[in-house]
Amino acid sequence: MCGIVGYIGKAGAPAVLINGLKRLEYRGYDSAGLAVIDDERVVVAKSPGKVAALSDRARSEWPEERFETCTSGIAHTRWATHGPPTEANAHPHLDGSGDIALVHNGIIENYRALRARLEGKGHHFESDTDTEVLAHLIGECDKGDLFQAVCDALHQVEGTFGIAVLCSREPERVITARRGSPIVIGVGDGESIIASDASAILAHTQRVIYLDDNDIAIVTADSVEVRDLNNIPVTREIAELGFDAEAAEKGGYEHFMLKEIHEQPECLANAIRGRLDFDLGTAVLSGMGTSPRELAELDRVVIVGCGTSLHAGLVGEYAFEDLADIHAEVEQAAEFRYRNPIIGSRDMVISISQSGETADTLAAVREAVQKGAFVMSLCNVVGSTIARETGRGVYLHAGPEISVASTKAFTCQVAVLLMMALKLGRGRRFSREQGMRLAREIETIPELVERVVAQSEKIRKIAADYADAEHAFFIGRGPMYPVALEGALKLKEISYIHAEGYHAAELKHGPIALLEQGTPVIALACDIPGRDKTLGNVEECRARGARIVGIVSEGDFEVAECMDDAIYIPRCHPLVATIPTVVALQLFAYHIANIRGCEIDQPRNLAKSVTVE
Ligand code: M6R
C-alpha cells in the first residue's frame, strides 16, 4: 500500500522525508518520490524501485545545499494501482503550472471523467494516474489560496484519499486531508510531520493528531489547524502514540498476519468499490475486456492457481456454475501444464495469484495462451508477470500482503470471483432483479467481515483449548468445502499442527479412522443448503470422541448445541458466507499459532512468492 510523508520545520526536509519513507517500506511499494520547495520552485525527484534508489538519485542530481536549506516537502511510496510502477507514474504529481505538488493514497473513482474535462480545458497529462488528475484539478481551482483550491477540488472528487499538498507560493505550509485513507500529523517541537501511518513520525514525536474523514488541515512548523471541507474549523485533540517503531510498522498488531486479518473490511471495500452496478444488477469489471457477446458465447470457465489461490478458485467454481450457469473446473496450476489439457477459444481460463509471480501458475497461463484460450488474471500485485502476460483481468486492490500466510488476498479473490460470476450470470440466465439482489449481498461483505473480526478475543479463548492438538480436521459441504481446505492450510502452515480439510461426507470413507478422544473437528455448519447433512457428519465425529468447533449462523442455537464450541457468523447468501467463515478460521489458526509461540509471519520452509516449479 502507498505511503505518505510530509515535513515542515527546521531540519533539512529531503533527509527527513527519505527517512520517513524508509519507515514505511514494510507496507510494500514499487516506486518512490519526493518534492521540496527550493528558491520558490517546487523540485521533484522520483524513482522506480526502492527508497534507496530515490535517495541515490536525489543525492546525485540535487545540489548539496538543497539538503540543508529546504525545510518543507512531501514524499510518497507508491504501490501501483493505476498504471505500471514507472517514474512517470510515481508521486509527487504536479499541477499544470508546476507550482503545486501532490502525493495521494486511495483511489479517485471519477478520475476518467475529471481527466476528460480537464483535457477539454487544455490540460496535458504525463502519467496514467488518478493522482495527477487531482493535482491538475487543484491547479484548476487555484485562485491564489491553496487551502481553498484543495477544498474546491476535493468537493469534485469521488473515491478515497489521503493527501499532502505543497505549493511554491506558500513554502511555510503543507495542506493535508483525508477521506477513507488515514492521515496522522506529528506535532513536534518547531516541526510537523504528516504521514499515512505513525511509523514515519515516531523518530520525531509521540504527540499526534489523527484526521477524521473529510478533515483538511493547514500544517505549519508550529501549528495544525483542522477544518472540514466547507472551511468550518473542527477540534481534533492531540493524542500520545504510546508505541515504538517496530510495533508501528505493524500498526500496533503483534504480527502482520493479524494486521492483515483486521484490514480485511477495508481491503474488501477497496476490492468491491465502484465495481457493482445496482441499476443493471451486474458487476463492472472493465479489466476483463470482454463484450457481453463474448461472455455469452463461452463454453467453460477453467480456473488455475496454487495454495490459497487454488482454494479461492474452488469457491469460484461453485459461483460460476450456480450463478452464471456455466460449466466450471478448477485445476492445480502445476498439473495443468503437464496434462496437455483440452482447452480452446471458447474457454475462459482465470489464473489466480496474489503475487502474480508463482511459477506454476505462470506456466499454466502460458500453456492456456498457447492453446488459444481466453486468459485472464486475478492478481493483487499490479504489474506482476502474470498480470502483464495475461493483459486482461481484475486486480484485487487488497494492498501488500506481507505475512506468508495469505488472508486478505483470499477474501478479496473470492469477492472478485463472485463479481465475475455475477457479470457472467447477467449475460446468461440471471434476471436484473436477481442480479440486483446479489449485488446488494456482495456490497455487505466488508461489514459482515467486520463483525467476525470483532470476535477475535472470543475466538482466541476458544483457540486456547485446542492449541495442544496434534491433528485437526476441517469439514464442510458445497462452497464451504474449499473453505475447509483453506482453514486446514492456515492452521498447518502457521501452527505446524497436522490439519486436513475434507468434504464433510468424505470423512467416513477413511479419515474418520484417525479420530480419537479429543481430536478437534472444525465443522463449517452455517445455515446454508447442506447444513443438516453436515450436522449428521458432526454427530458421526462426536460419536468417536472428537471435539467439535462449529462455525454457525448467528441465532442458530439448535446447531450451536451440537458443538463443543461455536463461532457465529452473520447470516448471508451461501456463497457470500464463505468469506466471513474463512475469516473466523484465519483468526482460529492465528491464535493457536500464537499460543504455541510459532513464527507466524514467516513460517519455517515457506516463501511468500514461490517462483520455482
Ligand atoms: O501468490 P500466489 O497467490 O500465486 O501464491 C500461491 C500460494 O503459494 C499461496 O497461496 C500459499 O499457499 C499461501 N502462502 C498460503 O497461505
Side-chain angles (χ1 to χ4, degrees):
M1 261 180 285
C2 307
I4 286 177
V5 187
Y7 179 77
I8 183 153
K10 48 201 173 194
V16 173
L17 294 169
I18 286 168
N19 287 337
L21 291 184
K22 285 187 176 154
R23 302 301 316 176
L24 300 182
E25 284 192 298
Y26 76 94
R27 298 164 65 93
Y29 66 101
D30 33 45
S31 57
L34 79 158
V36 294
I37 298 175
D38 189 2
D39 198 18
E40 298 179 11
R41 277 183 320 125
V42 173
V43 287
V44 177
K46 302 198 230 184
S47 171
K50 295 292 167 199
V51 172
L54 170 69
S55 174
D56 289 348
R57 174 166 287 194
R59 293 245 169 239
S60 66
E61 291 179 2
W62 284 3
E64 211 166 315
E65 55 277 14
R66 190 173 284 166
F67 285 81
E68 303 302 323
T69 55
C70 298
T71 54
S72 62
I74 56 176
H76 193 258
T77 46
R78 174 173 184 258
W79 193 77
T81 55
H82 294 80
T86 58
E87 184 172 334
N89 286 334
H91 303 203
H93 287 285
L94 299 178
D95 77 321
S97 69
D99 292 335
I100 296 171
L102 167 73
V103 291
H104 163 230
N105 288 355
I107 294 175
I108 307 297
E109 286 165 10
N110 59 336
Y111 85 100
R112 284 196 185 84
L114 292 170
R115 181 171 172 144
R117 206 177 79 204
L118 289 164
E119 280 172 339
K121 292 185 168 187
H123 287 255
H124 170 73
F125 293 91
E126 289 176 0
S127 77
D128 308 318
T129 64
D130 51 341
T131 303
E132 191 185 12
V133 174
L134 178 55
H136 278 245
L137 186 62
I138 294 170
E140 182 70 19
C141 295
D142 183 20
K143 307 285 179 277
D145 176 350
L146 178 66
F147 175 83
Q148 196 52 52
V150 176
C151 283
D152 291 347
L154 293 180
H155 274 297
Q156 299 175 52
V157 155
E158 288 164 22
T160 55
F161 52 79
I163 58 168
V165 193
L166 192 68
C167 177
S168 58
R169 274 195 329 265
E170 304 181 21
E172 72 295 342
R173 53 169 63 176
V174 176
I175 307 294
T176 183
R178 75 159 271 174
R179 181 191 294 157
S181 195
I183 290 286
V184 52
I185 304 166
V187 183
D189 182 12
E191 61 180 5
S192 301
I193 309 96
I194 296 158
S196 51
D197 90 47
S199 41
I201 292 177
L202 283 162
H204 300 265
T205 180
Q206 283 272 318
R207 302 175 73 227
V208 293
I209 294 172
Y210 293 98
L211 293 193
D212 283 352
D213 274 353
N214 298 309
D215 282 354
I216 175 163
I218 302 167
V219 182
T220 72
D222 304 303
S223 65
V224 178
E225 204 182 317
V226 187
R227 303 183 188 170
D228 67 16
L229 289 180
N230 295 316
N231 208 350
I232 312 276
V234 291
T235 307
R236 300 282 172 246
E237 303 298 333
I238 294 181
E240 286 289 316
L241 276 177
F243 51 84
D244 62 17
E246 201 194 329
E249 283 190 351
K250 295 176 185 146
Y253 292 101
E254 203 176 341
H255 297 97
F256 282 112
M257 181 179 178
L258 189 61
K259 174 173 179 270
E260 286 160 10
I261 292 171
H262 279 258
E263 274 173 0
Q264 287 179 106
E266 189 192 338
C267 300
L268 285 157
N270 288 339
I272 294 167
R273 186 179 295 115
R275 288 174 164 173
L276 292 170
D277 181 330
F278 297 101
D279 274 347
L280 293 177
T282 188
V284 185
L285 301 167
S286 47
M288 284 174 74
T290 41
S291 65
R293 186 172 174 166
E294 282 171 316
L295 292 181
E297 285 175 353
L298 288 176
D299 283 339
R300 195 169 55 142
V301 172
V302 177
I303 303 174
V304 292
C306 301
T308 290
S309 295
L310 179 73
H311 297 157
L314 287 164
V315 179
E317 181 180 16
Y318 286 89
F320 283 112
E321 297 208 331
D322 193 31
L323 306 175
D325 204 18
I326 186 166
H327 180 57
E329 280 170 30
V330 184
E331 284 243 19
Q332 291 177 6
E335 193 56 26
F336 183 86
R337 175 191 191 185
Y338 294 107
R339 203 175 54 77
N340 195 16
I342 300 165
I343 296 283
S345 59
R346 288 161 75 102
D347 292 325
M348 180 162 82
V349 174
I350 305 174
S351 54
I352 307 182
S353 174
Q354 186 285 130
S355 61
E357 304 293 346
T358 299
D360 285 324
T361 312
L362 180 58
V365 163
R366 289 177 176 158
E367 181 63 20
V369 169
Q370 280 302 313
K371 290 202 164 354
F374 221 115
V375 187
M376 23 202 102
S377 63
L378 216 165
C379 293
N380 193 33
V381 178
V382 175
S384 54
T385 310
I386 292 173
R388 278 186 282 109
E389 290 207 11
T390 51
R392 313 162 181 254
V394 186
Y395 282 119
L396 301 181
H397 297 318
E401 195 178 60
I402 293 166
S403 163
V404 166
S406 186
T407 53
K408 60 183 184 172
F410 178 86
T411 49
C412 289
Q413 284 163 347
V414 173
V416 171
L417 285 164
L418 292 182
M419 290 189 284
M420 283 176 132
L422 170 61
K423 185 177 163 78
L424 250 76
R426 282 289 283 128
R428 290 168 171 260
R429 69 163 179 187
F430 238 47
S431 70
R432 178 168 170 263
E433 282 64 34
Q434 285 173 307
M436 284 160 61
R437 270 203 301 280
L438 184 65
R440 292 274 167 232
E441 290 267 2
I442 293 172
E443 190 192 22
T444 65
I445 290 173
E447 190 210 318
L448 302 177
V449 169
E450 187 83 64
R451 279 158 64 183
V452 180
V453 167
Q455 298 180 58
S456 180
E457 181 52 24
K458 179 190 162 191
I459 296 172
R460 190 192 64 75
K461 287 188 178 138
I462 294 173
D465 282 344
Y466 296 85
D468 289 339
E470 285 179 25
H471 309 277
F473 294 88
F474 289 70
I475 59 171
R477 284 170 178 266
M480 291 298 171
Y481 163 53
V483 178
L485 298 178
E486 176 59 11
L489 177 62
K490 284 289 89 77
L491 186 64
K492 74 182 107 181
E493 71 182 324
I494 60 168
S495 76
Y496 313 138
I497 292 174
H498 169 230
E500 301 285 352
Y502 280 102
H503 190 283
E506 268 295 309
L507 217 58
K508 59 181 166 299
H509 295 287
I512 204 165
L514 294 169
L515 294 187
E516 294 173 343
Q517 200 62 34
T519 305
V521 172
I522 295 83
L524 312 189
C526 65
D527 195 4
I528 63 171
R531 158 205 183 257
D532 293 348
K533 291 201 186 309
T534 302
L535 275 191
N537 304 129
V538 164
E539 290 307 334
E540 292 156 10
C541 297
R542 279 170 73 87
R544 283 145 186 98
R547 288 181 72 193
I548 317 288
V549 181
I551 310 295
V552 307
S553 296
E554 281 172 354
D556 196 349
F557 301 115
E558 186 196 337
V559 171
E561 273 175 19
C562 306
M563 311 293 175
D564 293 286
D565 292 288
I567 300 169
Y568 292 92
I569 64 148
R571 286 176 182 273
C572 50
H573 186 284
L575 285 160
V576 169
T578 56
I579 294 178
T581 300
V582 85
V583 174
L585 301 184
Q586 293 166 353
L587 284 165
F588 184 70
Y590 170 82
H591 287 304
I592 287 190
N594 202 19
I595 292 163
R596 289 165 72 98
C598 298
E599 180 51 74
I600 291 181
D601 285 331
Q602 277 148 359
R604 68 185 180 211
N605 305 337
L606 297 182
K608 183 65 185 158
S609 183
V610 183
T611 51
V612 289
E613 279 191 53

